[in-house]
Amino acid sequence: MNFIDSERSKILVVDDHPASRMTAVALLSVEGYDIVEAHSGPAALDCVKQANPDLILLDVMMPGMDGFEVCHRLKQEEQTRLIPIIFITALNDRRSRIRGIECGGDDFLTKPFDHLELSARVKSLVRQKRLNEDLDHAEKVLFSIARTIESRDPNTGNHCDRLVDLSQVFGEYLNLSRPDIRDLMWGGYLHDIGKVGIPDNVLLKKGRLNSSEWEIMKQHVVIGEQICKPLRTMRGVLPIIRHHHERWDGSGYPDGLAGPDIPFIAQVFQVIDIYDALTSERPYKAAFSPEKALEILAEETERGWRNPKLVEHFSSFIRRMHSGENNISIGQGAKSWPRRSGIAVPNLLPEVARLGFTS
Ligand code: SIN
Ligand code: FE
């Protein structure tokens, strides 16, 4: 048996005409759905908050707040954006259909309802919603794990938040596409997720790693890639996870890629990652000034480790940022981003500590 179908789904029917609501309610009750009703836009918004429905049948024309507005608001909210919305429109109302798509509606039905059509669409959208939720939860699990690993590592502090911030502004500075910027930002959280597979005596070792310990540590990029690979939405982040320790001259790991063979997004991420590590305080070193950090990056570039053009861009970006030119500033990214991308990132370590698994 498919467990998706074994839970009763809840449907919200929104229409200002009681008679229209009754028809839909009657048809859906027969199908075994739980029904909630609302007679207006604002009542619908309240209902959604309280009842958390699996699908909404939404009339377009309602006095006060129309269906488009209701849909628009729900699709913008993190809590409600995954609830499928079927608009109820008049037959052949092309303009309404276009507007409905524009404000995020998922499907349309015309009155009077065709029983079979209503039933088929509702069923398929509810199923789709459950799958989307599962994917959403899987993503959140990965981000939580990444966050938790970070907080166990005495070296990193709030490294990830800062990486997300810098990734956004530097990505925009380089004119990268929206999806690339998103991947860079996700990389900020996820690049070292593979450290979950590194034993504590290596990961948390104080002092230098010996060569066999290094070999173990290097595995984190491959482990991380394996962890994130099954999720299609992670595809763009995989090159960052796998290749963020490659070097321009081919002396890096895991593949020893050289020059432009290293995926560009991984090169960009690496420069940000290193810069942040240099400018942050670590147990074994004080924070370097931006100027000093750029100097070290330049030295590493001369040694052949980094892409000279990219490091040049990065240096002028940092200098501009610190001179306040071009209104570049950071600090907004990590705060505004989790909301926009739908990922709130809890750190689970306090929970784990409470359970007594860590010291
Ligand atoms: C890390 O990924 O932060 C540690 C491993 C390395 O620096 O190569
Ligand atoms: Fe790493």
Side-chain angles (χ1 to χ4, degrees):
M1 192 178 83
N2 188 342
F3 77 95
I4 287 180
D5 297 327
S6 66
E7 288 171 38
R8 276 172 79 93
S9 304
K10 199 184 291 170
I11 307 218
L12 170 62
V13 179
V14 188
D15 200 314
D16 56 321
H17 297 292
S20 303
R21 282 204 308 274
M22 265 170 57
T23 324
V25 171
L27 292 175
L28 292 168
S29 304
V30 173
E31 298 278 329
Y33 293 105
D34 287 337
I35 314 287
V36 217
E37 298 179 49
H39 65 278
S40 71
L45 294 177
D46 275 349
C47 247
V48 170
K49 255 192 224 139
Q50 271 153 37
N52 190 25
D54 293 295
L55 181 139
I56 304 172
L57 270 187
L58 185 56
D59 188 24
V60 171
M61 301 286 283
M62 290 182 293
M65 186 189 295
D66 67 13
F68 298 128
E69 176 67 21
V70 174
C71 178
H72 184 69
R73 290 190 188 201
L74 292 174
K75 292 295 181 182
Q76 279 192 324
E77 281 289 322
E78 156 70 7
Q79 302 299 330
T80 54
R81 74 199 155 86
L82 291 180
I83 304 173
I85 294 180
I86 301 182
F87 278 115
I88 313 295
T89 61
L91 202 58
N92 295 331
D93 188 352
R94 191 163 159 268
R95 276 186 56 187
S96 288
R97 287 178 178 235
I98 292 169
R99 263 204 79 191
I101 292 169
E102 282 170 356
C103 59
D106 298 274
D107 209 345
F108 303 91
L109 276 172
T110 49
K111 287 193 266 196
F113 295 122
D114 177 302
H115 184 171
L116 288 178
E117 192 181 4
L118 174 68
S119 147
R121 294 200 177 184
V122 166
K123 195 169 169 186
S124 106
L125 280 174
V126 166
R127 179 182 289 263
Q128 188 61 49
K129 182 207 178 214
R130 296 278 161 92
L131 294 173
N132 286 342
E133 280 175 344
D134 289 347
L135 174 60
D136 210 47
H137 293 162
E139 281 174 0
K140 282 188 174 133
V141 168
L142 289 185
F143 280 86
S144 295
I145 293 172
R147 197 61 199 245
T148 306
I149 296 159
E150 178 193 37
S151 71
R152 296 189 70 214
D153 188 338
N155 290 319
T156 48
N158 274 338
H159 185 51
C160 290
D161 276 340
R162 289 189 310 264
L163 288 182
V164 173
D165 279 339
L166 254 182
S167 294
Q168 181 177 21
V169 274
F170 187 47
E172 282 166 3
Y173 179 84
L174 289 177
N175 260 324
L176 300 185
S177 68
R178 296 299 311 165
D180 280 349
I181 293 174
R182 191 211 72 154
D183 292 338
L184 264 187
M185 294 167 80
W186 281 27
Y189 281 120
L190 296 169
H191 66 287
D192 276 344
I193 191 171
K195 286 182 178 173
V196 73
I198 304 302
D200 283 2
N201 64 342
V202 175
L203 184 68
L204 305 178
K205 182 175 177 183
K206 296 194 172 79
R208 295 179 81 84
L209 301 182
N210 64 35
S211 64
S212 64
E213 289 165 340
W214 256 118
E215 289 312 309
I216 295 171
M217 184 60 132
K218 285 180 181 175
Q219 290 297 315
H220 79 279
V221 296
V222 188
I223 298 170
E225 187 189 35
Q226 289 302 324
I227 291 173
C228 294
K229 214 173 200 168
L231 286 186
R232 198 181 54 81
T233 48
M234 293 290 162
R235 207 172 281 167
V237 195
L238 297 182
I240 296 176
I241 297 175
R242 185 174 180 99
H243 298 296
H244 72 275
H245 291 292
E246 303 281 4
R247 286 177 184 160
W248 192 245
D249 62 4
S251 67
Y253 67 88
D255 298 318
L257 297 183
D261 283 347
I262 306 167
F264 184 66
I265 193 142
Q267 298 177 34
V268 173
F269 180 80
Q270 183 186 65
V271 172
I272 296 168
D273 188 24
I274 292 169
Y275 176 80
D276 186 74
L278 290 171
T279 52
S280 309
E281 193 188 322
R282 296 279 160 102
Y284 51 87
K285 74 168 211 10
F288 294 125
S289 69
E291 266 314 314
K292 179 71 189 165
L294 292 182
E295 225 173 83
I296 294 172
L297 258 178
E299 279 166 26
E300 291 189 355
T301 309
E302 215 139 280
R303 216 178 299 162
W305 289 359
R306 321 279 166 229
N307 175 344
K309 269 231 157 65
L310 178 62
V311 170
E312 212 173 281
H313 278 304
F314 185 74
S315 300
S316 45
F317 159 76
I318 292 292
R319 293 206 172 93
R320 280 195 194 189
M321 192 168 72
H322 284 280
S323 68
E325 238 179 274
N326 284 14
N327 291 329
I328 303 172
S329 66
I330 58 167
Q332 286 308 302
K335 267 176 238 95
S336 57
W337 171 69
R339 187 161 37 81
R340 236 185 295 139
S341 68
I343 304 279
V345 186
N347 168 8
L348 298 182
L349 194 62
E351 305 300 322
V352 179
R354 222 170 288 138
L355 292 170
F357 289 132
T358 61
S359 50

